[in-house]
Amino acid sequence: MQSPHIGIESWWTVSLVITVALWLYLIPLMPNRRYKLQIAAIPVVMALFGVASSLAKGMTLEQLLPMYTAALGAILFGLFGQGAKVRELMAEMVEAGTDKPRSSTGINVQLAVSCCVMLILWGWLTHFGTR
């Protein structure tokens, strides 16, 4: 099955939509300002890492935007539908005064599946390994 060709303009649109969706979904789940800012910084840090990779490895924007989109999409889809559990775990973490929430098997499995699916989707859409 041949994958569709997605132009750079479309990748910009998809990456922007995924970024905004991540912010709209995750920021309200965070219990305080500190964690809201950390969630808001995820795409910014990833973009800076992408620019550094581009400069160091000579990667093009056509290579970086799909990677960025797939990585953010994996986080978003890995937590989608788990809002109540994420909110509960984050509140417990803040109350306990720790920096790490307790583990949730459901969230871990969903994140693992999401990462695998997004990696496969990224490889298919970018023709990874065939160019």
Side-chain angles (χ1 to χ4, degrees), residues 44-121:
V44 175
V45 171
M46 287 178 65
L48 291 174
F49 181 76
V51 169
S53 291
S54 176
L55 295 173
K57 300 175 186 173
M59 297 177 78
T60 65
L61 203 53
E62 289 82 7
Q63 294 170 308
L64 291 173
L65 277 176
M67 286 183 212
Y68 170 88
T69 303
L72 276 187
I75 296 168
L76 178 63
F77 298 129
L79 295 173
F80 195 75
Q82 300 282 352
K85 188 68 174 176
V86 169
R87 184 178 281 124
E88 172 192 329
L89 293 172
M90 293 301 293
E92 285 178 11
M93 183 186 76
V94 169
E95 287 175 16
T98 64
D99 285 335
K100 184 179 176 187
R102 69 178 166 82
S103 183
S104 166
T105 303
I107 290 176
N108 290 343
V109 168
Q110 187 171 329
L111 277 168
V113 169
S114 177
C115 287
C116 291
V117 168
M118 290 306 287
L119 182 62
I120 291 167
L121 185 62

Side-chain angles (χ1 to χ4, degrees), residues 12-60:
W12 273 112
T13 302
V14 172
S15 66
L16 180 63
V17 167
I18 289 286
T19 300
V20 171
L22 181 94
W23 283 335
L24 290 175
Y25 182 68
L26 288 180
I27 289 175
L29 298 178
M30 296 299 110
N32 59 36
R33 180 175 165 80
R34 174 182 167 211
Y35 293 110
K36 290 177 190 288
L37 289 173
Q38 286 178 352
I39 293 297
I42 290 172
V44 175
V45 171
M46 287 178 65
L48 291 174
F49 181 76
V51 169
S53 291
S54 176
L55 295 173
K57 300 175 186 173
M59 297 177 78
T60 65

